[in-house]
Each structure stands twice: as structure tokens, then as C-alpha cells.
């Protein structure tokens, strides 16, 4: 299973970095408005800016198209100069296209700042919803490989005194198996625990929740996905497991 969630802290940090990079480009534009840049300097600036915008908004973002129009505006201005245009008109046309670039970047910053404010508001709402899963999760992540037999899994659960274990293949977590499912598979279905591996009966996909999410969100997700266990992620990495037992511990007032 490939983890797709990124913590809100990481997302805010990324937005801050994108905003800073675009502001740096705006500082360069201000210099261009004071002193006319050479064509080579402007081309280098445009190339760097396009890379920054693609990183921040995606390569198919309309903002990139808008920035392209700002550059084309410079070419159009030069081509539309009347015959015998007075000296300095070309410079004024270039200044206008530089201003167009400036307005596009300012628009991009406004968009990113709005996203950052939205994330901050969402974080405040989650904080108001009560403690987060990081406060109640099991911080030790236990796992076994795909080729582990059911008997070996049972021994691990008993040794570690836990009710479930994650199934891992290399660096990737694929699913999990619980003590209840293990018992059902062996006793009710008559599966041979010595020769059968967890690959044949593990539950997948692995349902994840972020460390910053609330206990209320964990309950909602467990109900929605019909699971008693959630893998807890931070920075796109599994750092713990929260179970129904942990939720009950919270509502029972036990820390």
C-alpha cells in the first residue's frame, strides 16, 4: 500500500516555502522595473519562475498559462509598435509585460496564502474537536512479512501482547491481521496454521489516519471502513496504530 496522506504540518510548510520562493521572484521583478533587464536575464527569470509555479500549482495549472500570456504580451507589444515609434517605446512595452508578470505572481501568492489560511482554520477546528490520535495510539509498530505462517503470527501476537499486526513487504505495509481473524481462520475454517501464510487471509488495504486527526475522526473512519484498527501516519510514514481499545480508553477517561 502506498501512503498518500501528508500531514497538515508538512503541507503548511510546503506552502510557506512556495510563497517564499515566489516572493523572491517578485523582488527580482522590482529590480527589472528599475533597470531594464537583458533578454538573457529575462529568459532565465522566466524559466526559473515557470519551474516554481509548476512545483507550487502543478504543471497543468491555469496560472502557468496566464504567465505564458504575460510573456507573449511582451512579444505582441514589440510586434505592434507603429512605424517610427519614438525612442523608449520598446522599453515602456517591456516594462508593461514585466508588470504583467508581477501581477500573475501576486495572484499566485494570494492563492497560496488562502490555502494556508484554510489549513490553519481546519487545524483549529480539529483541535476544538478534542485530543488527537497521537495522544492515544500505540507508538510501537509491530509487523510481520508476507510469508509468515499463521502459527508464527499467533506466537507474535501472544509474545507482544497485542491484538493485531501489520503485514509488510519490504518497506511497504500492505495490510494487517487481527487475533480474531486469525482464530476464525484456523478454528472455524480449518486452515492449517503451519503451512498457511498471512498473505492468504490478511485484511487490505490498510486504513490510515494522521497523528494530527482527532479521536472523533478516528471513530468516524473506523465506522466508515468497518475496521477496529487504523495505522497512524506522519510525514507519509507509519508511526503507530490506534485501535478500538485505545478509543475506549479515551472515553473511559484513562490516559
Amino acid at each position: 500500500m502506498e501512503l498518500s496522506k501528508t500531514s497538515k504540518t508538512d503541507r503548511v510548510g510546503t506552502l510557506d516555502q512556495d510563497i517564499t520562493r515566489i516572493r523572491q521572484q517578485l523582488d527580482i521583478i522590482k529590480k527589472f522595473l528599475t533597470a531594464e533587464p537583458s533578454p538573457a536575464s529575462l529568459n532565465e527569470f522566466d524559466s526559473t519562475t515557470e519551474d516554481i509555479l509548476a512545483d507550487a500549482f502543478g504543471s497543468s495549472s491555469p496560472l502557468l498559462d496566464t504567465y505564458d500570456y504575460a510573456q507573449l504580451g511582451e512579444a505582441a507589444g514589440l510586434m505592434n509598435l507603429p512605424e517610427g515609434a519614438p525612442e523608449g517605446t520598446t522599453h515602456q512595452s517591456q516594462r508593461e509585460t514585466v508588470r504583467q508578470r508581477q501581477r500573475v505572481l501576486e495572484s499566485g501568492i494570494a492563492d497560496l496564502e488562502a490555502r494556508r489560511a484554510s489549513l490553519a482554520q481546519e487545524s483549529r477546528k480539529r483541535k476544538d474537536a478534542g485530543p488527537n490520535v497521537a495522544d492515544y495510539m500505540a507508538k510501537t509498530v509491530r509487523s510481520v512479512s508476507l510469508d509468515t505462517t499463521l502459527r508464527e503470527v499467533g506466537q507474535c501476537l501472544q509474545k507482544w501482547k497485542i491484538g493485531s499486526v501489520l503485514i509488510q513487504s519490504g518497506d511497504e505495509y500492505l495490510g494487517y491481521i487481527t487475533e480474531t481473524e486469525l482464530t476464525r481462520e484456523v478454528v472455524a475454517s480449518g486452515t492449517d496454521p503451519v503451512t498457511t501464510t498471512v498473505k492468504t487471509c490478511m485484511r487490505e488495504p490498510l486504513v490510515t489516519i494522521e497523528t494530527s486527526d482527532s479521536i472523533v475522526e478516528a471513530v468516524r473512519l473506523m465506522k466508515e471502513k468497518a475496521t477496529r484498527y487504523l495505522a497512524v501516519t506522519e510525514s507519509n510514514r507509519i508511526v503507530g496504530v490506534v485501535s478500538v481499545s485505545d478509543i475506549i480508553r479515551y472515553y473511559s477517561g484513562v490516559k
Side-chain angles (χ1 to χ4, degrees):
M1 182 205 70
E2 182 179 351
L3 301 179
S4 58
K5 284 190 175 182
T6 303
S7 71
K8 291 178 180 58
T9 301
D10 287 344
R11 278 181 273 172
V12 170
T14 299
L15 288 173
D16 286 340
Q17 291 174 5
D18 291 335
I19 290 171
T20 297
R21 294 171 70 193
I22 295 177
R23 287 195 186 282
Q24 290 171 345
Q25 295 303 98
L26 279 174
D27 289 339
I28 297 175
I29 280 184
K30 291 177 182 178
K31 295 178 181 178
F32 286 169
L33 290 172
T34 303
E36 181 180 357
S38 67
S41 297
L42 199 54
N43 287 338
E44 182 180 356
F45 173 84
D46 286 335
S47 178
T48 300
T49 301
E50 287 171 350
D51 289 341
I52 292 173
L53 293 178
D55 287 342
F57 298 96
S59 58
S60 60
S61 169
L63 196 67
L64 272 172
D65 295 333
T66 305
Y67 191 81
D68 286 340
Y69 282 123
Q71 297 175 64
L72 291 174
E74 174 187 350
L78 291 172
M79 289 188 295
N80 292 333
L81 287 176
E83 291 292 334
E87 186 178 353
T89 306
T90 300
H91 175 64
Q92 292 300 321
S93 176
Q94 178 168 286
R95 282 176 61 86
E96 176 55 32
T97 60
V98 170
R99 289 194 185 96
Q100 289 179 25
R101 290 171 168 86
Q102 182 181 28
R103 287 192 286 271
V104 172
L105 296 186
E106 288 172 345
S107 174
I109 288 178
D111 188 333
L112 294 176
E113 288 180 336
R115 296 185 192 184
R116 183 174 59 184
S118 177
L119 283 175
Q121 183 179 17
E122 185 178 346
S123 295
R124 285 194 295 271
K125 288 181 179 179
R126 290 181 181 276
K127 186 175 181 180
D128 292 340
N132 55 40
V133 294
D135 297 324
Y136 286 86
M137 71 179 186
K139 294 181 173 63
T140 301
V141 180
R142 302 289 191 180
S143 65
V144 297
S145 63
L146 272 175
D147 58 358
T148 304
T149 66
L150 298 185
R151 180 179 181 180
E152 290 170 333
V153 171
Q155 292 171 340
C156 289
L157 292 176
Q158 187 176 29
K159 175 183 176 181
W160 294 329
K161 298 180 180 179
I162 54 178
S164 70
V165 65
L166 302 184
I167 313 300
Q168 190 172 9
S169 177
D171 295 330
E172 186 178 8
Y173 292 100
L174 303 177
Y176 68 98
I177 187 169
T178 68
E179 187 176 27
T180 301
E181 290 161 342
L182 183 63
T183 302
R184 183 187 304 120
E185 189 70 26
V186 175
V187 177
S189 302
T191 303
D192 184 356
V194 178
T195 59
T196 306
T197 65
V198 292
K199 182 179 180 179
T200 63
C201 54
M202 69 178 183
R203 289 194 62 176
E204 55 181 331
L206 195 60
V207 184
T208 64
I209 190 169
E210 295 180 4
T211 54
S212 58
D213 284 330
S214 68
I215 293 292
V216 173
E217 173 63 13
V219 173
R220 185 199 66 78
L221 197 55
M222 285 180 177
K223 289 181 178 179
E224 177 184 321
K225 302 297 183 180
T227 180
R228 296 170 62 86
Y229 297 88
L230 300 173
V232 184
T233 62
E234 185 173 82
S235 300
N236 216 33
R237 182 174 61 90
I238 292 179
V239 295
V241 176
V242 64
S243 67
V244 168
S245 297
D246 298 320
I247 303 297
I248 293 174
R249 182 160 54 90
Y250 161 66
Y251 282 110
S252 299
V254 180
K255 187 71 168 88

